[in-house]
Amino acid sequence: MRQSPAETLPCCQSSAYIFREAKNEDAGNIVDCYESVFGAHGVKAPGHEPYPAPDVFSEEGVKLIVKDPLRQFMVIEIDGEIAAGMIISHNSRFHREFGCVAVSKRYQGRGISTLMLKECKKLEQQQSLSVNVTEIVTHSMLSQSAHKNAGYGQVTGFGFCQYPNVFFLHHPESCLWITSFEGAVIETLRQSRPSWRLQHSLDPARGAELEGTELTLLNKLKAPRSIFVPPSYLQIVSKIASQFDDTFTYRIFADAESHTQHSHWNSRFASDDCGDNPYAYLNLPARQIDREELLTHMGKLANQKKRYIQARVPTINGSAIKNIDLLRAHGFVFLGWVPLHRCTQQKEPDFDDVLIMQWIRPDVVAANALPGETNAVVKLHGYPLNLTGDLISTIRKDLNSAGRRNWSD
């Protein structure tokens, strides 16, 4: 169990905090913390579970998270009271996601959200490799600032109309995807980059030689990474990828025939209907699919009233360009591009970069303007996080495309 010694809050010299994993006996205090922020039993509205997660609003639910090996419930304790909490989900051996960040009303305004995120970043730095992909709601400038101040400021996507009626009575909320990399392998990669060395003094203790799986990962990740996207996405994907130039080398192609590469991806086209939830996922193979394959998978979801479907396209070879164009022709629009989004093998881990497309039910699209078409000037121009305006512009172009039609046409 990770626990920091009592340290002084940087914003309040008279208060000390302890950062640690939650325990069963904290359950009641954790529920009180979350209910002080979101109300009794969380934010409720048609189309979603109590926000941010049903489990944080009951002692039994908190205890389920505490004992779950794939989740860590981290808290900040001040004077014996739970002042803040958040959940780290371990989505794979290397992939993590932050969620359910909350600071008790009593302790807000002290920079505790940023403090919590910085402490969690230290946990990631202790790993061999940590790939963090986290969603943050776009209406909250405080949340965006807290993440950026803690070092989570690389934007990789924009989920349009993703949370139905959580924060707004009459329209859904969008969210930013942010991605970061930490761990011994990443630190070694960065120290090998000339641009990194010019800005940092090397710490010999952090440059220790890697062994075993870490060395395997290093050798795979230090090689140039090829990315294939349609010409219309070349600029936005290049901007996203440039945020990680201190770690990886990218070669981006907009011509399907310009380069071929062996794929280790499973050739099976898979879908996940996510049960009764209003969303679903399509996981495309690294080979070219045809219209019938796409319609077969979409047809399985036709009677399930899905409002949001996410398609994940590996960009490892030229088939990605044709698959993305096919998705666009059937109502999917751009969401983002996420490096190392999927671990493709376990014994000798390797990763693929993935372009994410989003299909939103036409009536949902028709009823909701993009942030750039409202008075949300701050969101449009991407402050405090970057790239928001470019992402919104790309999505708007897809939505307005003359060739766009519903998938069932």
Side-chain angles (χ1 to χ4, degrees), residues 11-172:
C11 52
C12 183
Q13 297 301 318
S14 61
S15 297
Y17 73 93
I18 295 174
F19 171 75
R20 60 176 175 82
E21 289 190 59
K23 300 175 286 190
N24 281 341
E25 51 264 39
D26 297 318
N29 287 332
I30 288 174
V31 172
D32 290 343
C33 172
Y34 278 86
E35 291 195 338
S36 79
V37 179
F38 300 103
H41 309 300
V43 180
K44 303 184 193 68
H48 67 88
E49 298 176 324
Y51 185 90
D55 286 348
V56 300
F57 298 104
S58 73
E59 293 190 30
E60 295 78 11
V62 170
K63 291 175 182 178
L64 284 174
I65 299 173
V66 168
K67 74 175 184 179
D68 186 344
L70 298 180
R71 292 184 288 180
Q72 290 176 279
F73 209 140
M74 309 307 301
V75 297
I76 282 184
E77 176 188 324
I78 300 175
D79 298 328
E81 182 178 350
I82 300 299
M86 68 174 282
I87 298 170
I88 305 174
S89 296
H90 296 255
N91 296 329
S92 81
R93 178 180 176 186
F94 302 105
H95 290 81
R96 289 164 175 77
E97 179 179 0
F98 293 165
C100 300
V101 181
V103 177
S104 172
K105 286 275 190 182
R106 173 179 162 87
Y107 292 98
Q108 291 180 359
R110 303 190 189 186
I112 292 178
S113 290
T114 297
L115 183 67
M116 170 81 78
L117 290 162
K118 285 182 176 179
E119 290 284 5
C120 288
K121 192 179 188 74
K122 293 177 185 177
L123 295 181
E124 296 194 304
Q125 291 170 340
Q126 296 169 14
Q127 309 302 313
S128 295
L129 171 66
S130 179
V131 181
N132 188 313
V133 183
T134 289
E135 299 174 7
I136 55 176
V137 290
T138 52
H139 81 278
S140 176
M141 295 299 105
L142 287 174
S143 177
Q144 291 186 46
S145 295
H147 282 81
K148 182 174 177 61
N149 291 339
Y152 296 97
Q154 290 80 20
V155 178
T156 54
F158 185 93
F160 179 46
C161 288
Q162 192 153 341
Y163 293 114
N165 308 104
V166 178
F167 303 98
F168 306 107
L169 181 61
H170 299 297
H171 63 88

Side-chain angles (χ1 to χ4, degrees), residues 135 158-164 173 175 177 272-274 277-282 298 301 304-312 332-336 356-362 364:
E135 299 174 7
F158 185 93
F160 179 46
C161 288
Q162 192 153 341
Y163 293 114
E173 169 70 287
C175 67
W177 285 38
D272 181 359
D273 66 10
C274 298
N277 291 302
Y279 51 83
Y281 300 97
L282 299 177
M298 292 296 288
L301 308 173
Q304 299 184 34
K305 299 181 179 178
K306 301 297 182 182
R307 61 180 300 280
Y308 180 91
I309 298 172
Q310 188 185 113
R312 300 160 174 172
F332 284 78
V333 302
F334 187 79
L335 189 156
I356 314 291
M357 303 289 285
Q358 54 190 332
W359 177 88
I360 306 102
R361 203 170 63 224
V364 175

Side-chain angles (χ1 to χ4, degrees), residues 93-94 129 185 189 210-223 345-351:
R93 178 180 176 186
F94 302 105
L129 171 66
V185 173
L189 284 171
L210 305 180
E211 297 180 353
T213 300
E214 292 183 341
L215 185 59
T216 300
L217 286 169
L218 176 67
N219 289 331
K220 289 180 180 293
L221 296 180
K222 70 181 182 182
Q345 297 184 66
Q346 293 300 321
K347 290 185 178 180
E348 291 191 8
D350 202 355
F351 299 86

